[in-house]
Each structure stands twice: as C-alpha cells, then as structure tokens.
Amino acid sequence: MSQVIPEKPLRVVVWSTGTIGRHAIAGVDAHPDLELVGVWVSNPDKHGKDAGVLAELGRELGVPATTDRDALMALAPDAVVHTAMTDDRVFESIEDLIWMLGNGVNVVSSGPVLLQWPHGILPDEIITRVEEAGRSGNASLHVNGIDPGFANDVLPLVMTSLSQRIDEVRVMEICDYSTYYQPVVMGDLFGFGKPMDELGFLWHPGVLTMAWGSVVKQIAAGLGVTLDEPLTEEVDRRPATRDTASVSGDVAEGTMGSVRFAVVGKVDGVPRVVLEHITRTDAESDPDWDSPPAGTDGCYRVKITGEPMMHVDFVHHGEHGDHNVSGMITTAQRLVNALPAVVAAEPGLVTALDLPLVTGRGLVTGSGHTGTTVSTGSTTGAAR
C-alpha cells in the first residue's frame, strides 16, 4: 500500500502537554497535512495558556489549552493525538479512548500499550467495546510509539523479510534510565531506589505479559506463528553497587538499581519470539548483561537467529539531549506521522500490521514547510 495523503489538512487535538505531548504539539505544527486546533490539559494552571508556550516552542500558536473535554469534542476534530499518562490508569484511559471514538474522532495514542495488540491480552469484551465504539463513530484507534511500537513491531518484522529460516526473533531495549524523568514509573512501577524486598508493580506475576505481551503476540501474528499459552515471564532484579544520581530520585547502594526482564513466546516449549529489556540506573553496572554500543547511552536491539543471522542496533539521541529525550520525540512522531493513514483506515482498532508505509513526508528541511524545535527539558507526562 502507498502512503496516504489527505486532500486537506486534518484538524488535530493534542491530548496532554507532558513529556510526549509537548513534542506532539511541535510535530503537528511541523506537519504539512495536519492543523492543530486544540490542546487538552489536566492541570488547571495550564488552562488558557497557548500551546506554543506549553510546548516551549519560543512562539505562540494561537491555540489555547483547555481542561474542558467537551469543548474540544465540540470542535469536531478529525483526530486526537493522545499522549496522557496511562501506565497507572490503564482501564480508565481505555474508557477515555472509547469515548473519543464514540464521538467520531480518530485517535493515535501512546498508551495504554497493551492496545498495540490486545488480542489474547485484554478480555474479549473490552476489545469488542473498542471495536464497536469505532464502528459507531466511524473512527479508528492506533496505539504505538517506540517501545511498544516501531522498535519492536515494524523494525523486526521488516528485518524478517530478509530471512530464509527463523529460529528466534528477540527484540530488546538496553537503556540507562538515570536520566529518565518519570518518578511514578521509576519508583512505583520499577521499584528503583527501593529495598530489594519491596516489589515494584511490574514484578507481580502477569503484569509483564499485560504490559509487553502485545509485542510478542503481534510479532508472532506477523510471522504466522501460534504460541504456547501462557507466555513466560523472566525477571532478574539486582541491587545498586554504589550510590547513583537519578533525575527521578537518587538510587542508594543496596536498593534496587537494575533489572533484566523478558516476556517469552514459545512454540512447543522452544523460545521463538522474545521481548527483553535491560534497564540500568548506573551505566557501568551488570557487565554480564548486554550493553548498548560504545559511546551511546541506550539502544533498541533486534537479534534474529536463523539463516542468515541478523543483528541490528537502533540508536537515537536528541539533537540537544540524550536518548530519553529522543525516546519521547520518536514516540510522538510515530503517532503524528501515522495520523493520515489511521484516519483513512477502517473503523476500529488499527495495528502496525494494518498500516501502509508511514514516512516523514513533508518534514525534510527546506522542503517548503518550516518545522519547529522544542526544548529538551524534562516535564511530567506520559511514559513512553
């Protein structure tokens, strides 16, 4: 399928102005096929402030932010770029997305991530409600980003097009999270900086499958593989070997400082599709685990075992910041650039397997459209 190019710019609302949302505002403003018409904020102190100010663009866009959900729906936007925090309110956020679809508004969202490929992860009745809301509103929903998202759906599946035989597909995130400003994610979900006997939310049985099982199942679907049920979870948590500074709260020696976890999809007991994360708060710790390429602070890695053997490291960093900044930018832009294709898609849930080629069409410097830059200072907002 070829790229989708709208006949006229799509009217877009950006839903939140946190770590992803402010980059989404910049992305919508820079995109020739999109027009920013509204911005939602949860903080009353931001109500009435200009979107350009909230996104730190250095100029106003003439679009005031609002806490009034109904007022934004009354604008009859073509789409919402939803970047609000969902990690700690999964089912409430699903209700928000169902409400938007029912109002006839297409949505691209950074979460909840399990909607990237919810089949076999969410109860069927919830998936049915999302699909029915899409059909009743003639609107589509696509949940994506960088991880879960491009780094572990489009990238590995495109790589498998070079394979003659596939024994295992392993998709990895290997990152230093000490510069990642998300206190809720770092403290409550991961448990970094907390006593080793105090489990973060992610390490309770079944939670990893809920959070990242969609990655494993979507790759398997793309390869036509039926996995054993249930998926297998692996967790190796380790204490910090020294005091380490972190923007989300310093990590003291002896408290939880790093973790390697995996969600494993097996066929007849043999691992075939694996999602693995190696997350450190001290870049020098745990040398027995995989590390990012020298000179970098993080990467996404795809390993395909078979014939031929393939290994790709996807490294990114912000123009004026580190990989955590660019992680927010890439998440926002995957959503923003996919918007025309999602709006053109059939109503209901749209996965990466349903989309045509998505590119950065119209974003090349000097191509006739003036893009914007956004500062890299951390703010609160959605997890990537």
Side-chain angles (χ1 to χ4, degrees):
M1 298 172 64
S2 60
Q3 296 184 68
V4 175
I5 303 174
E7 294 181 358
K8 60 181 180 179
L10 300 172
R11 293 163 46 80
V12 179
V13 166
V14 172
W15 206 269
S16 90
T17 59
T19 51
I20 299 175
R22 62 198 184 93
H23 293 297
I25 290 171
V28 171
D29 180 59
H31 201 294
D33 297 327
L34 307 177
E35 176 191 357
L36 183 70
V37 297
V39 173
W40 179 84
V41 288
S42 59
N43 185 347
D45 293 339
K46 294 182 178 181
H47 180 84
K49 292 188 176 180
D50 188 86
V53 173
L54 294 175
E56 302 177 25
L57 298 182
R59 59 188 175 85
E60 293 193 353
L61 299 180
V63 179
T66 181
T67 57
D68 189 337
R69 299 181 357 147
D70 294 328
L72 291 172
M73 289 297 104
L75 295 174
D78 295 300
V80 164
V81 181
H82 180 271
T83 63
M85 180 70 167
T86 63
D87 292 350
D88 57 352
R89 53 184 304 274
V90 171
F91 293 102
E92 295 92 333
S93 62
I94 291 175
E95 293 301 322
D96 291 341
L97 299 177
I98 288 174
W99 172 74
M100 294 175 190
L101 292 173
N103 274 279
V105 180
N106 300 277
V107 184
V108 291
S109 181
S110 59
V113 295
L114 48 79
L115 282 173
Q116 176 215 24
W117 183 271
H119 312 290
I121 302 295
L122 273 176
D124 289 343
E125 54 267 30
I126 295 179
I127 300 173
T128 298
R129 287 189 59 218
V130 173
E131 294 280 13
E132 288 179 347
R135 286 193 293 270
S136 67
N138 193 32
S140 303
L141 167 65
H142 178 58
V143 175
N144 212 254
I146 191 68
D147 179 6
F150 175 85
N152 45 42
D153 54 34
V154 174
L155 180 60
L157 286 171
V158 167
M159 286 177 62
T160 65
S161 70
L162 306 176
S163 296
Q164 185 180 84
R165 187 191 77 246
I166 300 170
D167 298 332
E168 180 187 281
V169 176
R170 183 175 294 260
V171 293
M172 308 173 69
E173 180 190 80
I174 308 168
C175 280
D176 171 13
Y177 269 35
S178 63
T179 59
Y180 181 38
Y181 184 74
Q182 274 295 344
V184 172
V185 173
M186 296 289 284
D188 297 343
L189 300 189
F190 277 85
F192 287 127
K194 295 190 175 182
M196 291 298 294
D197 60 359
E198 185 176 336
L199 281 181
F201 178 71
L202 287 175
W203 319 129
H204 294 274
V207 176
L208 287 177
T209 295
M210 181 72 74
W212 279 278
S214 61
V215 169
V216 174
K217 288 181 178 289
Q218 180 164 231
I219 293 174
L223 298 176
V225 172
T226 300
L227 300 174
D228 301 341
E229 294 290 350
L231 302 178
T232 302
E233 300 176 353
E234 301 174 357
V235 180
D236 182 2
R237 299 161 57 243
R238 296 183 180 179
T241 58
R242 60 183 178 181
D243 293 347
T244 307
S246 169
V247 297
S248 289
D250 293 347
V251 177
E253 179 181 349
T255 65
M256 184 179 152
S258 59
V259 63
R260 174 201 166 274
F261 68 84
V263 180
V264 183
K266 299 178 180 179
V267 179
D268 297 330
V270 179
R272 297 300 187 191
V273 181
V274 182
L275 175 286
E276 178 181 352
H277 276 212
I278 295 172
T279 309
R280 298 175 170 95
T281 56
D282 177 357
E284 304 301 320
S285 71
D286 311 293
D288 55 318
W289 289 345
D290 275 45
S291 295
T296 71
D297 47 13
C299 76
Y300 294 100
R301 180 167 292 162
V302 179
K303 296 180 179 179
I304 299 178
T305 306
E307 186 63 61
M309 308 288 283
M310 291 184 283
H311 175 135
V312 168
D313 283 344
F314 167 31
V315 176
H316 58 78
H317 63 84
E319 183 179 14
H320 305 293
D322 70 1
H323 68 280
N324 285 311
V325 171
S326 55
M328 304 306 161
I329 296 172
T330 52
T331 291
Q333 287 306 130
R334 183 62 190 175
L335 297 172
V336 169
N337 291 330
L339 243 183
V342 173
V343 171
E346 292 297 317
L349 275 169
V350 177
T351 74
L353 298 182
D354 301 316
L355 291 179
L357 180 65
V358 173
T359 75
R361 195 191 74 81
L363 304 180
V364 176
T365 303
S367 61
H369 185 81
T370 303
T372 59
T373 58
V374 59
S375 70
T376 57
S378 294
T379 63
T380 56
R384 65 176 173 201

